[in-house]
Amino acid sequence: MELLSHLFLGFETALSFTNLVYCFVGVFLGTAIGVLPGLGPLATISILLPITFGLPPVSSLIMLAGIYYGAQYGGSTTAILVNLPGESASVVTVLDGYQMARKGRAGVALATSAIGSFFAGTVATVIIVLFAPPLTEIALKFGPADYFSLMVLGLVASIVLAHGSLLHALGMVVLGLILGIVGTDVNSGVTRFTFGFPEVADGINFVIIAMGIFGLGEIIANLQNESTRSILSSRITGLMPTRDDWRKMTGPILRGTALGSILGILPGGGAMLASFASYALEKKVSRTPEEFGQGAIAGVAGPESANNAGAQTSFIPMLTLGIPSNPVMALMIGALVIQGIQPGPSVIVEQPALFWGLIVSMWVGNLMLLVLNLPLIGLWVKLISVPYHYLYPTILVFCAIGVFSLSNTTFDIYLMALFGLVGYILRKIDCEPAPLLLGFILGPMMEEYLRRALLLSRGDPYVLVTEPISATMLVAALGLLVLVAAPVARKARAEAFREEEV
């Protein structure tokens, strides 16, 4: 009965005219950006984040969430029609989606993607409704030492699941932790790592880092790698799958939804890990594995369902524990902090309208996407055909205006440009920047919880291993490091990421 009252509050919040408008804006922008190859939800949310500062917290989170899972839908359109993934989670869709389009079945491939994504999004929303409140109750029993160790586990998991070298990923996390403590120490009043610049005495705003590394860095990389986009057809017909198509897609959609719902919770993995795992699973269980890569409908249905389910269940650790499972969730936590809301289990108690309104808005947004995506295929096709060098000046202007609005100083714009250069260099040396953002967001929180734990234990560091929950988290983190350092696991990890690149 209590759950029904919470859902009623969620529907009342999400279905208000204002929040419906922002939900629509979010999913529309997310789909549009997902259609444009190269940008993706992370860069988009980084660029549009300042726009949400003046919005109510609920509307802000609903719009940002809509951008995130809307981009999962939009990315598949480019993958199917142009053979270019709109964002990383749609890389697998290219393999069979484009081949279906070459055989004149682009409409069926797009419909399969939309149907699978809607079903997965709906199921993932139900999972959040069922599991988020119990997890929140458990999280409320965590002490400072437990939270510190949980964040250590999250960072270790993000290192293990990051692309490329483990040493590179570790370096990115350490760099993020260092950037996170730039500014004035709240306890001693001593400035740290400011290098004499008073503008960063209060710390580096995470929006500047996000916009620079993920916004400007992506722009530079896209300009360098801009390629001619060849669209198979500007007119898409035959959207309705046949009875045989329904038979072939049902199993992959169910399996992809289940797999994505589980993997989306893991730190560092999320939608992309879920889509690759789903494709591998479908290829193994199929009676005709030779069809994969040649236009198999299961190769579209499974990964598209998995990446959308993973995108939405990644909200669970963010909403219940205040721990981001991927860089987009780190941006969500930053948005909460800017709105004056402390992320974590207290949100469901202190901000029930925000918590339940956001969850219900996910279902509303998925319904909007199902209704929007297929009729607007023509618009997305026209958007794909716009050369990127015509789009990037507008994106740069939005970035500059957004960063300047933070504190009305040009220093922030220069700092953003510096981080944009850093982001581009990181990509050139094969350092995935996502762990950096996780380290930057979690660093100050880890420091705060560690200090609280030491204060409560009168400076005894053994509190981290004497508290059962904390000790379990640290043992799990150590176990992950030992496991991934083993030659067999290291080889399997390298092969898995090599398959993704192919």
Side-chain angles (χ1 to χ4, degrees), residues 283-318:
K283 196 170 182 179
K284 285 184 178 180
V285 301
S286 174
R287 295 179 181 177
T288 54
E290 67 278 359
E291 291 182 0
F292 282 76
Q294 307 298 321
I297 195 169
V300 175
E304 282 300 308
S305 302
N307 79 47
N308 203 262
Q312 296 198 197
T313 55
S314 62
F315 280 87
I316 292 177
M318 190 275 285

Side-chain angles (χ1 to χ4, degrees), residues 103-193:
K103 295 176 180 178
R105 306 197 73 212
V108 174
L110 291 168
T112 301
S113 169
I115 293 166
S117 297
F118 173 73
F119 177 81
T122 302
V123 172
T125 303
V126 173
I127 290 173
I128 297 174
V129 169
L130 295 177
F131 289 97
L135 281 174
T136 300
E137 291 181 11
I138 295 172
L140 288 170
K141 299 176 182 177
F142 279 27
D146 304 327
Y147 265 110
F148 171 79
S149 299
L150 177 64
M151 292 177 187
V152 170
L153 176 60
L155 288 180
V156 169
S158 72
I159 292 171
V160 172
L161 295 172
H163 283 65
S165 165
L166 284 173
L167 190 60
H168 285 178
L170 177 62
M172 290 297 93
V173 167
V174 172
L175 179 58
L177 292 173
I178 293 172
L179 290 172
I181 61 175
V182 170
T184 305
D185 180 15
V186 293
N187 291 290
S188 65
V190 176
T191 55
R192 303 179 293 188
F193 302 111

